[in-house]
Amino acid sequence: MSKHLLKLAVLYWGLAAPLAAVHAEGFPNKPIRLVVPFAPGGGTDSVARLLSKRITERTGQPVVVETRVGAGGAIGAALVAKAPADGYTLLLTVTGPITIIPNVNPNVGYKTSDLAPVAIAYRSPFMVMVGTDSPYQSLGQLLADGRNKQPAPSYGSSGIGALSHLVSELINQQAGTHFNHVPYKGSQDTLYAMVRGDVQWGLQSAADARSFLAAGKLRPLAVLSKERSARMPDVPTLEESGIHGVDLDLWFGLFAPAATPSATVHSLNTLVNEILAEPEIAKRLQELGGQAPTDANTPEIVKKTIDREVQSFGAVARAIKLKLE
């Protein structure tokens, strides 16, 4: 080998070795902080702990679940939005802190665009529920009283501006009803209010209501998805009751700060989808009252879902003149 070629070879390997070492380190190579903006014991917390355990087992890196409760999930979302954009601080949340709160509260401290979608980790049927002592045996009976009875029956929500609030108001719009809103501090308070009969109905996910449903304390009248739930095939859809334009379930999404490199976001997406495909994880998610996404689950597709919901919920918020401060 000539001296010139020898110098080139030395230069090449001198540059390539560090690059190879960097590539070998991969992602993640240090502990991950997973922020949950809702109280322990709920559906979000349960999914976060299931997911964090498997990420740790697969990567060898600890995933620390950190609860940051407050402002309907906005405190935890704002924390992640302002965190270093390196993929090591993540948020697991339902739709409210992403598609609703930052678009109706100008003082919340972050925007929807400040968080980059990674993947949907879980979907749970969103349902119209009543207490088992309720006189309403069908959605049709409830809607009839919502249109004609004075005062109209009341519904409970997880708080002003929560998903359960806006979607209930969407039902008011689509069904021509006049249900009265009673806000509570979270899903658990709402569920207990329905059991006691303090409110006549409410919208909650199967994940949050699973123990109440299993104990026979609540009765679902309808699911909000276009098709019946495979887990509860006897429960009709809103479409079957003549209410159109309401088609959603409750999703739990994983998010990173917006400036996180695309390669890191897609690495996380691949990791999460591999975990969700595991039979044992699928079984556990079903036990929690839902399932992993059954369609494509890329960051780009999740963003389209978010954009669609921002538009839909924004229209409802404007119609009811909702403002959060």
Side-chain angles (χ1 to χ4, degrees):
M1 179 182 293
S2 68
K3 289 183 179 180
H4 179 67
L5 289 176
L6 181 61
K7 286 181 180 179
L8 287 176
V10 170
L11 178 62
Y12 171 80
W13 289 112
L15 290 171
L19 289 174
V22 169
H23 180 72
E25 286 178 0
F27 177 89
N29 57 22
K30 63 180 183 180
I32 293 174
R33 179 187 187 193
L34 180 57
V35 176
V36 175
F38 301 105
T44 318
D45 179 69
S46 299
V47 174
R49 295 186 186 281
L50 179 64
L51 195 61
S52 65
K53 181 175 182 291
R54 286 300 292 127
I55 292 174
T56 296
E57 291 169 350
R58 274 178 164 262
T59 66
Q61 295 297 334
V63 179
V64 180
V65 177
E66 180 178 326
T67 303
R68 287 297 185 99
V69 180
I75 289 176
L79 185 154
V80 175
K82 297 172 183 177
D86 55 9
Y88 289 96
T89 301
L90 304 172
L91 174 73
L92 185 72
T93 183
V94 294
T95 183
I98 303 298
T99 62
I100 299 172
I101 294 175
N103 299 300
V104 296
N105 185 350
N107 302 316
V108 75
Y110 69 98
K111 303 185 296 294
T112 297
S113 58
D114 291 334
L115 290 157
V118 174
I120 298 297
Y122 176 75
R123 290 185 180 276
S124 179
F126 212 42
M127 300 182 290
V128 177
M129 299 184 195
V130 297
T132 50
D133 293 333
S134 168
Y136 299 112
Q137 299 297 318
S138 71
L139 183 62
Q141 294 173 342
L142 178 62
L143 294 176
D145 274 3
R147 294 184 184 108
N148 305 315
K149 192 173 181 180
Q150 295 295 335
S154 58
Y155 72 88
S157 82
S158 300
I160 295 173
L163 179 66
S164 51
H165 175 206
L166 290 190
V167 178
S168 296
E169 288 300 323
L170 182 57
I171 289 175
N172 264 340
Q173 291 179 12
Q174 300 296 95
T177 50
H178 308 281
F179 294 116
N180 295 305
H181 178 216
V182 181
Y184 290 90
K185 293 182 178 179
S187 61
Q188 293 299 302
D189 287 350
T190 311
L191 292 163
Y192 280 113
M194 284 191 280
V195 171
R196 293 191 302 264
D198 296 343
V199 292
Q200 280 64 63
W201 67 280
L203 288 177
Q204 292 295 326
S205 72
D208 285 329
R210 67 185 186 279
S211 62
F212 293 83
L213 293 168
K217 294 180 178 180
L218 290 174
R219 182 171 66 248
L221 297 184
V223 294
L224 273 63
S225 52
K226 263 188 179 175
E227 298 179 353
R228 294 193 181 197
S229 168
R231 293 184 56 80
M232 292 170 287
D234 294 333
V235 180
T237 67
L238 287 186
E239 288 274 346
E240 292 175 60
S241 299
I243 300 178
H244 308 292
V246 184
D247 173 23
L248 76 156
D249 50 20
L250 183 69
W251 53 255
F252 296 55
L254 190 67
F255 294 83
T260 303
S262 177
T264 301
V265 170
H266 281 85
S267 291
L268 283 165
N269 176 271
T270 299
L271 176 61
V272 169
N273 279 318
E274 288 175 353
I275 291 170
L276 296 178
E278 296 175 11
E280 182 59 29
I281 296 300
K283 179 183 176 183
R284 286 289 295 118
L285 291 177
Q286 288 180 354
E287 290 170 354
L288 291 174
Q291 62 183 30
T294 55
D295 48 3
N297 190 23
T298 66
E300 294 78 15
I301 289 175
V302 177
K303 185 178 184 304
K304 289 181 180 179
T305 297
I306 291 167
D307 291 344
R308 183 172 63 249
E309 291 191 0
V310 165
Q311 183 176 4
S312 175
F313 298 147
V316 178
R318 289 189 295 274
I320 65 173
K321 297 180 172 57
L322 175 66
K323 289 186 179 180
L324 300 177
E325 296 180 357

